[in-house]
């Protein structure tokens, strides 16, 4: 296969600066982001993992700002990373600022980088424009979710100080432009810091994956520029195959249907593979060649197998163990994607370092849900290639008769377990239906759908207020629930339990994962406390004492109505840090009975 310098497609890696001639399909998005950056000192770009954020900035947005708008562009900065050898944490005033400056001058004496962000940015050389004003300086912090995923000696105070330094730099230089680029599942974590920044970080752009027309351009144009264009309709065949996704219509019935979007990483992997398999000397790419050499499943299989070999070598782990992890943990018995929770230092039985390496290869993606970090395959289309590859590897690698017998027994055991899980799922569903029927008959058991109706509309920020808790954490809730959550805070303070600012939150205008309804967080009636030590998962894990939980659930209105429900009592997956309002606005209007706010 030709190397990447000969191939007009980049494969699974992001586009790098200077590769704009290969980059197509994002003209509209780039134009809108450029206009946003020019018009606002501070802006946020967010998207799903794998949507191509880094590629878009490297290949299109930053070059357009420099070449068409005359801006001075710094390389993409990141707040995460490893400190240089010999630099102690105690010597660094703010680790996030230091890591960022280190990327601006990697060869400089590390001690010279221990300066405020504003002072360092002021040293950047900028030409004068025709009007006598300096050129705009554009600073982009890529993968900014690292602010929340990497620790620091000062904890949350270091994050606040980083934003304070950003604010000071912007105040000192009206020609400075700062862009934060991050995954959308971390967007809500910016909210407690937004008040420190210009326009409260309201200037935002959501980057979607590639639509069909943009995906066709991303397939066709690099080949055309390289002198080997696709025949009419050939690129459409590839894109339509890439858009296929699997949907569960009913238990046991899965259909392959055309989706709305294409994963940019997946597109690049398939096209890179297609180009490498083309016979030399041809002047174009026919529909037959696209179908023969651009086979999506074969390209994804090759990508999976190469990734497994790289992971096994890097982690000094057996390929068999990694293949079992993909097949057993990340794919369900009904051949759909499964989500695996990060628990301590492991993810589904493998070290977290291996899972993070796999994420960097764009074979899996991670999302934060209800305070926990979950991993899943980057796309449904990897399911069949992985299962088929694992089966071929298992039966074609010279297994002994004993190994084959053990493999057959394991497969039979898996089927038996799958049957038991299906029976358990039916039993759970029946129990849930019975629970919902009984829940509708009492105020304390109101269903989630009833609560949505009572507290509609969602995301109505004009009705929400910020509350500062006794620990310094700040949460945003519906104003009618303020007394309830202040009562919860009073109970926690009496028990000596402190909500941490870094992993406590409430309002988040989002829909439930995998659904169309809004989360109760979008209504401002739910709070997650200390989600890293009270994670969402199958097992109940909590650092709250039973006495504290009972005291919180004992809080009642003046009309003797229960005010709260606890996620640790959920019938299936537990959400130990989650408390949600179950009273109506009218019931809360009566106030909270102070006699029910108890503690040691």
């Amino acid at each position: 296969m030709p190397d990447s310098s000969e191939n007009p497609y980049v494969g699974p890696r992001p586009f790098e600066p200077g590769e704009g001639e290969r980059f197509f399909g994002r003209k509209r998005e780039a134009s809108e982001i450029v206009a946003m950056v020019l018009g606002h000192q501070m802006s946020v770009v967010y998207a799903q993992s794998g949507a191509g954020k880094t590629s878009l900035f490297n290949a299109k947005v930053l070059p357009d700002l420099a070449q068409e708008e005359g801006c001075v562009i710094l390389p993409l900065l990141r707040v995460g990373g490893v400190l240089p050898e010999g630099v102690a944490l105690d010597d660094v005033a703010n680790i996030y600022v230091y890591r960022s400056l280190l990327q601006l001058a990697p060869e400089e004496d590390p001690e010279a980088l221990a300066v405020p962000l504003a002072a360092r940015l002021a040293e950047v050389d900028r030409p004068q424009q025709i009007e006598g004003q300096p050129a705009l300086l554009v600073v982009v912090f890529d993968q900014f979710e690292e602010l929340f995923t990497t620790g620091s000696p000062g904890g949350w105070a270091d994050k606040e100080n980083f934003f304070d330094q950003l604010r000071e730099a912007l105040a000192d230089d009206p020609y400075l432009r700062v862009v934060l680029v991050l995954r959308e599942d971390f967007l809500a974590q910016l909210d407690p810091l937004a008040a420190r920044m210009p326009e409260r970080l309201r200037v935002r752009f959501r980057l979607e994956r590639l639509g069909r027309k943009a995906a066709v351009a991303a397939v066709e144009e690099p080949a055309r520029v390289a002198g080997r264009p696709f025949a009419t309709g050939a690129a459409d065949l590839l894109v339509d195959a890439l858009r296929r996704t699997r949907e569960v219509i009913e238990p046991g019935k899965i259909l392959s249907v055309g989706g709305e979007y294409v994963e940019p990483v997946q597109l690049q992997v398939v096209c890179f593979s297609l180009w490498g398999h083309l016979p030399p000397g041809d002047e174009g790419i026919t529909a037959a060649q696209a179908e023969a050499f651009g086979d999506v499943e074969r390209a994804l299989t090759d990508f999976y197998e190469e990734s497994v070999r790289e992971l096994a070598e890097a982690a000094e782990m057996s390929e068999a163990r990694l293949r079992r992890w993909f097949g057993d943990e990340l794919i369900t018995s009904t051949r759909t994607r499964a989500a695996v929770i990060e628990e301590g230092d492991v993810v589904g039985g493998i070290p977290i370092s291996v899972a993070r390496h796999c994420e960097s290869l764009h074979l899996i993606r991670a999302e934060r849900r209800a305070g926990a970090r979950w991993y899943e395959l980057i796309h449904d289309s990897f399911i069949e290639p992985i299962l088929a590859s694992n089966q071929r590897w298992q039966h074609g690698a010279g297994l002994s008769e004993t190994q084959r017998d053990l493999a057959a027994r394991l497969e039979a055991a898996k089927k038996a377990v799958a049957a038991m899980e299906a029976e358990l799922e039916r039993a759970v569903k029946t129990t849930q239906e019975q629970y919902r029927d009984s829940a509708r008959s009492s105020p304390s058991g109101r269903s989630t759908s009833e609560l949505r109706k009572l507290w509609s509309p969602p995301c109505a920020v004009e009705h929400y207020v910020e509350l500062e808790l006794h620990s310094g954490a700040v949460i945003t809730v519906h104003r009618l629930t303020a007394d309830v959550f202040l009562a919860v805070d009073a109970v926690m303070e009496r028990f000596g339990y402190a909500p941490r600012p870094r992993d406590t939150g409430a309002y988040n205008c989002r829909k439930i994962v995998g659904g169309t309804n809004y989360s109760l967080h979008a209504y401002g009636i739910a709070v997650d406390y200390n989600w890293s030590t009270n994670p969402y998962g199958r097992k109940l894990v909590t650092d709250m004492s039973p006495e504290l939980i009972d005291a919180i659930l004992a809080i009642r209105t003046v009309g003797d109505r229960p005010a709260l429900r606890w996620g640790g009592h959920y019938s299936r997956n537990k959400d130990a840090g989650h408390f949600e309002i179950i009273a109506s606005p009218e019931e809360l209007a009566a106030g909270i009975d102070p006699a029910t706010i108890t503690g040691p």
Side-chain angles (χ1 to χ4, degrees):
M1 180 182 294
D3 63 31
S4 59
S5 63
E6 300 170 334
N7 196 314
Y9 304 97
V10 299
R13 68 169 176 81
F15 280 78
E16 296 175 357
E19 292 185 327
E21 74 281 354
R22 304 182 183 195
F23 188 80
F24 296 92
R26 291 293 200 186
K27 185 176 181 180
R28 177 189 61 81
E29 293 92 335
S31 176
E32 292 184 17
I33 293 174
V34 166
M36 178 178 71
V37 172
L38 294 176
H40 300 274
Q41 273 201 294
M42 187 89 177
S43 52
V44 178
V45 175
Y46 62 100
Q48 292 182 1
S49 175
K53 302 180 292 295
T54 301
S55 293
L56 175 59
F57 273 85
N58 273 337
K60 186 65 177 167
V61 171
L62 294 184
D64 284 359
L65 283 166
Q67 297 163 16
E68 299 179 12
E69 305 297 338
C71 298
V72 174
I73 305 299
L74 297 184
L76 294 181
L77 304 183
R78 291 174 57 178
V79 296
V82 181
L83 291 178
E85 187 175 350
V87 177
L89 285 174
D90 293 342
D91 298 332
V92 178
N94 187 299
I95 193 168
Y96 303 116
V97 173
Y98 188 88
R99 286 168 177 159
S100 303
L101 297 180
L102 186 63
Q103 294 161 72
L104 286 179
E107 304 301 325
E108 193 165 331
D109 181 359
E111 293 185 5
L113 298 176
V115 296
L117 184 61
R120 188 65 181 191
L121 294 179
E123 296 174 359
V124 176
D125 231 7
R126 282 190 270 176
Q128 296 290 311
Q129 303 284 48
I130 297 175
E131 299 84 358
Q133 299 172 342
L136 294 180
L137 173 63
V138 179
V139 181
V140 179
F141 290 92
D142 192 28
Q143 300 186 42
F144 194 67
E145 62 272 7
E146 290 175 334
L147 186 80
F148 307 107
T149 61
T150 58
S152 68
W156 186 257
D158 281 348
K159 296 172 175 54
E160 291 178 325
N161 177 258
F162 177 83
F163 271 81
D164 288 342
Q165 291 201 41
L166 274 182
R167 186 185 66 243
E168 291 167 10
L170 291 166
D172 291 347
D173 184 358
Y175 300 101
L176 174 63
R177 299 292 184 265
V178 174
V179 186
L180 308 180
V181 183
L182 75 164
R183 291 198 340 227
E184 66 180 358
D185 46 317
F186 286 88
L187 188 63
Q189 297 195 43
L190 289 177
D191 289 348
L193 300 160
R196 299 171 178 270
M197 304 310 299
E199 300 180 274
R200 298 180 64 90
L201 297 181
R202 292 192 181 100
V203 181
R204 301 179 179 186
F205 182 91
R206 184 179 189 273
L207 179 67
E208 190 49 271
R209 292 160 294 168
L210 291 169
R212 189 179 188 280
K213 182 177 179 181
V216 170
V219 170
E220 287 185 328
E221 292 303 311
R224 181 188 61 78
V225 172
R228 208 174 207 184
F230 280 82
T232 302
D236 297 80
L237 291 174
L238 279 182
V239 170
D240 287 341
L242 288 166
R243 289 168 58 229
R244 306 299 294 179
T245 185
R246 297 162 60 84
E247 292 190 2
V248 180
I249 307 303
E250 57 186 53
K253 185 176 181 181
I254 303 174
L255 291 182
S256 176
V257 299
E260 186 177 358
Y261 297 107
V262 172
E263 297 271 357
V265 170
Q266 190 179 346
L267 180 148
Q268 289 292 327
V269 167
V270 169
C271 290
F272 188 91
S273 175
L274 163 64
W275 191 270
H277 286 94
L278 290 174
D282 288 1
E283 295 182 355
I285 304 172
T286 65
Q289 287 174 326
E291 192 170 0
F293 302 119
D295 179 75
V296 174
E297 189 159 327
R298 183 171 68 180
L300 298 179
T301 298
D302 290 345
F303 181 45
Y304 166 65
E305 292 177 347
E306 291 167 7
S307 297
V308 167
R309 286 192 289 271
E310 178 177 332
L311 288 165
E313 183 178 350
E316 298 183 348
M317 181 181 294
S318 72
E319 189 171 335
R321 182 180 175 188
L322 281 166
R323 286 178 175 270
R324 283 197 302 271
W325 184 69
F326 279 100
D328 296 346
E329 298 293 334
L330 295 173
I331 301 174
T332 70
S333 59
T334 57
R335 302 170 101 88
T336 58
R337 280 186 290 176
V340 184
I341 192 172
E342 181 180 296
E343 298 181 290
D345 295 328
V346 297
V347 178
I350 69 166
I352 189 173
S353 59
V354 178
R356 295 274 174 88
H357 187 173
C358 188
E359 183 185 7
S360 72
L361 295 174
H362 302 288
L363 188 53
I364 63 173
R365 65 153 58 100
E367 289 185 357
R368 181 166 292 279
R369 306 174 188 170
R373 189 174 171 88
W374 295 78
Y375 294 80
E376 65 180 7
L377 289 175
I378 197 166
H379 197 270
D380 292 335
S381 56
F382 274 100
I383 293 173
E384 293 304 327
I386 287 174
L387 294 176
S389 174
N390 285 356
Q391 188 174 29
R392 286 193 301 271
W393 186 86
Q394 183 183 44
H395 294 288
L399 299 179
S400 67
E401 289 299 321
T402 302
Q403 289 172 316
R404 289 193 183 95
D405 180 60
L406 288 173
R409 292 183 184 183
L410 178 61
E411 189 63 29
K414 287 181 181 178
K415 291 180 179 178
V417 170
M420 293 171 62
E421 288 178 342
E423 182 61 33
L424 177 61
E425 187 173 348
R426 284 193 291 271
V428 169
K429 184 177 180 181
T430 301
T431 303
Q432 287 178 322
E433 290 172 350
Q434 293 171 346
Y435 170 77
R436 284 194 292 267
D437 289 342
S438 62
R440 293 188 181 96
S441 63
S442 70
S444 62
R446 285 187 173 114
S447 68
T448 301
S449 60
E450 287 177 303
L451 291 172
R452 291 192 184 103
K453 292 177 183 177
L454 286 171
W455 290 93
S456 285
C459 307
V461 293
E462 66 273 15
H463 297 311
Y464 302 158
V465 296
E466 286 188 350
L467 302 180
E468 183 172 355
L469 307 183
H470 75 275
S471 61
V474 177
I475 59 174
T476 301
V477 298
H478 196 291
R479 58 182 175 80
L480 295 179
T481 70
D483 287 347
V484 179
F485 290 116
L486 288 175
V488 172
D489 191 52
V491 170
M492 287 183 169
E493 187 173 14
R494 293 184 184 186
F495 275 85
Y497 188 85
R500 294 184 294 270
R502 70 175 182 274
D503 57 352
T504 295
Y507 169 66
N508 184 356
C509 185
R510 65 171 176 83
K511 294 182 179 180
I512 58 176
V513 176
T516 57
N517 292 318
Y518 278 93
S519 160
L520 293 185
H521 288 281
Y523 297 83
I525 63 170
V527 177
D528 289 339
Y529 295 94
N530 295 352
W531 55 65
S532 60
T533 49
N534 297 289
Y536 178 88
R538 295 177 183 176
K539 297 179 180 179
L540 178 60
V541 177
T542 180
D543 62 355
M544 299 185 197
S545 68
E547 293 78 14
L548 170 59
I549 294 165
D550 288 344
I552 292 173
L553 296 180
I555 296 171
R556 301 177 81 85
T557 69
V558 171
D560 199 31
R561 297 287 188 179
L564 294 155
R565 179 161 58 210
W566 181 45
H569 286 158
Y570 288 168
S571 57
R572 296 191 70 182
N573 288 336
K574 311 298 183 182
D575 197 353
H578 180 88
F579 287 90
E580 61 190 36
I581 298 292
I582 54 174
S584 69
E586 292 75 17
E587 291 164 351
L588 291 186
I592 297 300
D593 182 355
T596 64
I597 304 175
T598 61

